[in-house]
Amino acid sequence: MNRRYAIPLAIMAGVLILLGALSWLLLSKFESGFSPDPVSIASASLDGLREQNRLTVFSASYNATVTTTVTRMGLTARKTLIMPGSVRYEVDLGKLDADKVRWDEKTNTLSVEMPPIEIARPEVQIDRIQSYDDGGILMALTDAEKTLDQANRQKGVAELAKQAKSPLQMRLARDAARRAVESSFVLPLRAAGLDAKVDAFFDFERGADNADRWDVSRSIKDVLGDKEKQGTE
């Protein structure tokens, strides 16, 4: 009895081993032939970024101190305003064109030319405004105080905007924008198992030294366009 069942069992075991080996070979071939497409991943990341429209990358608070003087009828009135306010630094992601995103296959680097930083209108903290005046007689007899307040408010907002554009603050905003954009592209690439680098930069930072490097890479728009053409042929 043992011999009657031994031969069929041996044959069955051999078949199972053979099927297992074939399955392993097919799976290994599939896995080796499959590789994530960095261009497609970058394109999907770009679409996701553009859907966000405007991205606030940095915010800072400032204090503007301005003074205005009015002279009428030989009398002088002066008023000083201390105006606190905050400013947002934004990137319009809708302007991030696919032509500005390039994949360099040799260095596994995705280069992203970002739109310029835009500064939103200062948001004045009205409840924290302080004012000091000198010239009560003129302000009591005329509308000098209203004139002084209007002038100081305009000067204060302009001063806040001026402080926001200082080289140090703009550098901090650009650094924050670079980190945000680079993370948005590099995380999906690495999640797909790609050891890729992302280099986000602004147009004015692109000097003559690295211009040739970017010329050898192709925009993801061109690469995807070629793939579509090959698919229709």
Side-chain angles (χ1 to χ4, degrees):
M1 290 290 293
N2 290 338
R3 295 186 62 182
R4 285 180 57 190
Y5 293 106
I7 295 175
L9 287 174
I11 294 174
M12 185 179 297
V15 170
L16 290 174
I17 292 172
L18 180 61
L19 289 174
L22 289 174
S23 299
W24 181 82
L25 288 173
L26 289 173
L27 181 61
S28 299
K29 185 176 181 180
F30 173 78
E31 289 180 343
S32 62
F34 174 77
S35 59
D37 181 10
V39 174
S40 297
I41 296 171
S43 179
S45 299
L46 175 61
D47 291 340
L49 279 173
R50 295 182 68 174
E51 287 178 0
Q52 295 183 41
N53 197 10
R54 301 187 71 85
L55 175 66
T56 298
V57 296
F58 187 65
S59 179
S61 298
Y62 304 98
N63 274 296
T65 302
V66 294
T67 300
T68 301
T69 302
V70 171
T71 300
R72 295 178 186 173
M73 301 178 296
L75 299 174
T76 300
R78 181 184 297 106
K79 199 164 188 178
T80 298
L81 186 72
I82 301 176
M83 176 186 288
S86 60
V87 177
R88 298 191 317 274
Y89 298 77
E90 302 176 340
V91 174
D92 187 352
L93 296 175
K95 296 179 181 178
L96 185 55
D97 199 308
D99 288 330
K100 304 296 184 180
V101 181
R102 294 176 173 270
W103 173 251
D104 190 337
E105 195 170 348
K106 293 182 179 179
T107 61
N108 284 343
T109 301
L110 186 75
S111 64
V112 184
E113 183 179 326
M114 297 183 293
I117 294 287
E118 297 180 13
I119 300 177
R121 180 177 174 82
E123 297 179 359
V124 178
Q125 299 174 8
I126 298 176
D127 57 330
R128 294 181 56 197
I129 290 178
Q130 301 178 43
S131 62
Y132 306 90
D133 61 75
D134 180 18
I137 296 177
L138 183 59
M139 287 191 289
L141 297 176
T142 67
D143 64 345
E145 185 171 15
K146 180 180 178 181
T147 301
L148 291 170
D149 286 340
Q150 290 178 343
N152 276 340
R153 281 195 293 269
Q154 292 177 356
K155 288 181 180 179
V157 172
E159 176 61 22
L160 290 174
K162 180 181 178 182
Q163 293 179 24
K165 294 177 183 177
S166 71
L168 174 60
Q169 298 302 101
M170 292 300 296
R171 180 171 62 81
L172 292 173
R174 292 190 188 102
D175 288 345
R178 268 189 289 269
R179 289 193 297 269
V181 171
E182 286 176 356
S183 296
S184 297
F185 281 101
V186 77
L187 291 178
L189 289 168
R190 291 185 178 171
L194 293 168
D195 185 18
K197 296 176 290 184
V198 177
D199 184 14
F201 62 95
F202 295 92
D203 179 61
F204 74 94
E205 296 174 325
R206 184 175 171 180
D209 293 339
N210 58 4
D212 292 338
R213 175 188 170 190
W214 301 124
D215 287 340
V216 300
S217 59
R218 301 184 63 205
S219 70
I220 61 174
K221 182 178 180 180
D222 292 340
V223 175
L224 292 175
D226 289 346
K227 289 184 177 181
E228 290 180 2
K229 289 180 181 178
Q230 292 174 0
T232 56
E233 290 177 355

